[in-house]
Amino acid sequence: MSAVAARLAELGIELPSVVPPVAAYIPATVHGDLVYTSGQLPMVAGALPATGKVGGGVEASAAYGHARQCALNAIAAAAAAVGGVDRLTRVVKVTGFVASTPDFTGQPGVINGASELLGEVFGDAGRHARSAVGVPVLPLDSPVEVEVVFAWE
């Protein structure tokens, strides 16, 4: 068992199935030693656990949890693209989008859900560059969407 697989087991985390695309794209693509995930929504068993805007009908604390799920979905998509989670060696970049009301300014705290999960799973190799962006709406009215770039070997 690889370090990443062992850490997932230690944390009691089982990777979800790769979320099927909802439009004309693939969940992840490989270029050289990098794996780029498409934007991952917080899908659980094929459904969004919440819809709406953070700062409106969705609490920031709930959105934090949704960002964690987005990161898990990204790990699953990247692992499938390279033949297993054991081939992912580090997290390079996270881009998080938060559908939020105009007065909500806590996007970084929401996207910490994804960043902190990646740190728990990858340890020091989970430290990454990041953007957290507020947007008016996301696909399917999701409150959060996360893209991750991983290195692999």
Side-chain angles (χ1 to χ4, degrees), residues 18-30 36-43 46 48 70 73-74 77-78 81 138-140 142 144-147:
V18 176
V19 176
V22 297
Y25 61 89
I26 57 176
T29 189
V30 177
Y36 298 81
T37 71
S38 294
Q40 299 293 310
L41 302 180
M43 295 287 202
L48 283 175
C70 291
N73 292 344
L138 287 167
L140 307 178
S142 176
V144 182
E145 181 174 3
V146 174
E147 306 175 344

Side-chain angles (χ1 to χ4, degrees), residues 22-86:
V22 297
Y25 61 89
I26 57 176
T29 189
V30 177
H31 181 74
D33 64 349
L34 298 176
V35 184
Y36 298 81
T37 71
S38 294
Q40 299 293 310
L41 302 180
M43 295 287 202
V44 176
L48 283 175
T51 58
K53 309 288 180 279
V54 182
V58 178
E59 294 294 324
S61 59
Y64 172 96
H66 300 322
R68 285 181 68 89
Q69 184 63 45
C70 291
L72 283 175
N73 292 344
I75 294 169
V82 298
V85 71
D86 56 320

Side-chain angles (χ1 to χ4, degrees), residues 62-150:
Y64 172 96
H66 300 322
R68 285 181 68 89
Q69 184 63 45
C70 291
L72 283 175
N73 292 344
I75 294 169
V82 298
V85 71
D86 56 320
R87 302 197 68 192
L88 301 175
T89 58
R90 78 166 290 110
V91 181
V92 177
K93 174 80 163 72
V94 171
T95 305
F97 303 95
V98 180
S100 47
T101 60
D103 61 334
F104 181 79
T105 60
Q107 291 83 4
V110 169
I111 299 305
N112 277 350
S115 293
E116 291 172 5
L117 181 276
L118 293 165
E120 291 168 19
V121 172
F122 288 90
D124 285 343
R127 297 182 59 168
H128 53 271
R130 187 182 90 176
S131 300
V133 182
V135 297
V137 69
L138 287 167
L140 307 178
D141 200 24
S142 176
V144 182
E145 181 174 3
V146 174
E147 306 175 344
V148 183
V149 179
F150 295 92

